Amino acid sequence: MKDGARVVFEAPSRVAITGIPRAKIEQAAKELGLYVKASASPESRIPNPESRPVSFHAPRVAMYQPWTGGNMDEGWTRWVLEQYEFSLTSIHNDDIRAGKLRQKFDAIILADQNPRDIVDGFDANAIRPEYRGGIGETGAANLKQFVADGGTLIAMGNACDLAIDRLPIPVRNLKRGLTRDQHFAPGAILKLEVDAASPLAYGVAPETYGFYINSPFFTLVEGFASQKAAVVARYPNTNVLASGWLKGEELMAGRAAVVSIDMNPGRVVLFGLRPQHRAQTHATFPLLFNALYLAATDGNATTKTSH
């Protein structure tokens, strides 16, 4: 895409690429072990006329980086995206408070962090004034406006509660409020059931595994007619635990791990199960990557003016 190629998702694990020299395609196929076949243009071979392919440009991705307190999940996420050559911009409190985010970015990532720390930050005298505080109420409102302008907000782990609280999305975090005696997992591998028909799940096996460490799990609730909430990945109804220790397994059985909410025109993606955890969970990397690509679909290419 950096060389001007047009990429189209035709079906799970099948991508059509045009606008790039054949030699580059052959080189990539050789390096990555891909099966490549020359054929007619994507539009000429759609099996179902009502099912159009999904084409996209290189996504413009931003990730919130707090000045103080540190955020290990942000660092690992940034490292993963850099390894896979995503165009990534680190944004800070002033950047979010300044607004007009949709003009600059297709997707904004909030790595795992307590919502209060994101909004309020740290305000101690020992911290230089320019590094104090968080995004504030103005920043939270600007993230909401970013979605209203057609952007994709991706929240991971505890940051999901910021989206649930600040945007009118039909999702409830069932982990919230549970005590350690009720539900606890210091680090476990859990079974996942994935909706392979969802573009967010392209390239992911219908039944796979994910690493879980005390993250949210969700249920859908009543929402507005303009919203379309979908469960992309969920935990099975029985035998959730694959390896490790999990207390309160029955509380998350059958519950959602990854949810996508089409806000018309924007989108919110909640990753209760962090798909990029410490750069080790390669089986679930595509869930995050697909969310970024879908933020840059041709239908979302036009930007709007933020207020």
Side-chain angles (χ1 to χ4, degrees):
M1 289 185 290
K2 293 180 180 179
D3 295 326
R6 181 170 181 259
V7 180
V8 179
F9 270 130
E10 294 187 307
S13 300
R14 191 172 73 201
V15 177
I17 302 176
T18 58
I20 191 170
R22 178 168 180 160
K24 286 195 173 185
I25 291 290
E26 291 176 345
Q27 179 183 356
K30 182 177 179 180
E31 292 176 352
L32 301 175
L34 304 175
Y35 173 76
V36 179
K37 180 181 178 181
S39 59
S41 63
E43 290 80 1
S44 66
R45 53 177 201 276
I46 302 171
N48 180 1
E50 295 182 358
S51 179
R52 305 298 299 178
V54 180
S55 61
F56 52 91
H57 57 274
R60 302 170 300 164
V61 183
M63 184 160 59
Y64 173 63
Q65 183 182 68
W67 282 125
T68 56
N71 188 328
M72 184 183 297
D73 196 54
E74 184 274 332
W76 278 115
T77 307
R78 177 160 35 89
W79 189 87
V80 168
L81 294 179
E82 288 173 351
Q83 300 310 301
Y84 287 86
E85 299 184 5
F86 281 88
S87 177
L88 180 66
T89 302
S90 294
I91 55 176
H92 301 93
N93 298 329
D94 288 344
D95 300 313
I96 296 180
R97 288 195 295 258
K100 298 184 178 180
L101 297 167
R102 185 65 182 103
Q103 294 181 359
K104 307 168 189 175
F105 308 112
D106 299 306
I108 295 177
I109 301 173
L110 301 177
D112 178 45
Q113 189 176 5
N114 186 295
R116 182 175 179 179
D117 292 341
I118 296 175
V119 176
D120 297 337
F122 294 87
D123 194 16
N125 291 332
I127 301 173
R128 289 180 60 89
E130 62 267 32
Y131 299 140
R132 294 175 188 170
I135 67 173
E137 294 299 325
T138 298
N142 285 339
L143 289 177
K144 182 176 181 179
Q145 186 63 49
F146 171 73
V147 176
D149 289 341
T152 294
L153 180 64
I154 298 171
M156 295 190 286
N158 290 321
C160 292
D161 284 336
L162 179 66
I164 292 173
D165 292 344
R166 301 287 178 154
L167 284 78
I169 56 177
V171 180
R172 186 155 56 95
N173 176 9
L174 297 176
K175 169 71 172 173
R176 206 174 195 177
L178 294 178
T179 67
R180 181 169 176 153
D181 290 335
Q182 292 173 311
H183 185 274
F184 182 70
I189 298 175
L190 306 186
K191 298 175 184 177
L192 279 180
E193 296 176 351
V194 179
D195 181 5
S198 169
L200 277 166
Y202 282 0
V204 182
E207 294 183 359
T208 187
Y209 302 90
F211 186 83
Y212 178 85
I213 180 167
N214 290 320
S215 293
F217 47 92
F218 311 107
T219 187
L220 303 185
V221 296
E222 287 294 328
F224 296 117
S226 59
Q227 302 168 337
K228 294 181 180 179
V231 175
V232 180
R234 50 163 275 175
Y235 302 107
N237 293 329
T238 58
N239 299 320
V240 176
L241 181 65
S243 178
W245 178 38
L246 171 62
K247 187 173 185 177
E249 176 178 350
E250 70 282 357
L251 297 175
M252 61 193 311
R255 300 303 187 179
V258 180
V259 177
S260 175
I261 307 98
D262 185 348
M263 302 289 286
N264 190 23
R267 179 183 289 113
V268 177
V269 183
L270 304 179
F271 285 105
L273 183 91
R274 304 202 300 275
Q276 79 317 347
H277 181 76
R278 296 192 180 182
Q280 298 173 339
T281 54
H282 288 252
T284 51
F285 279 3
L287 293 169
L288 174 59
F289 296 168
N290 290 341
L292 297 177
Y293 288 134
L294 288 172
T297 57
D298 286 350
N300 289 336
T302 57
T303 60
K304 299 180 181 180
T305 302
S306 298
H307 298 84

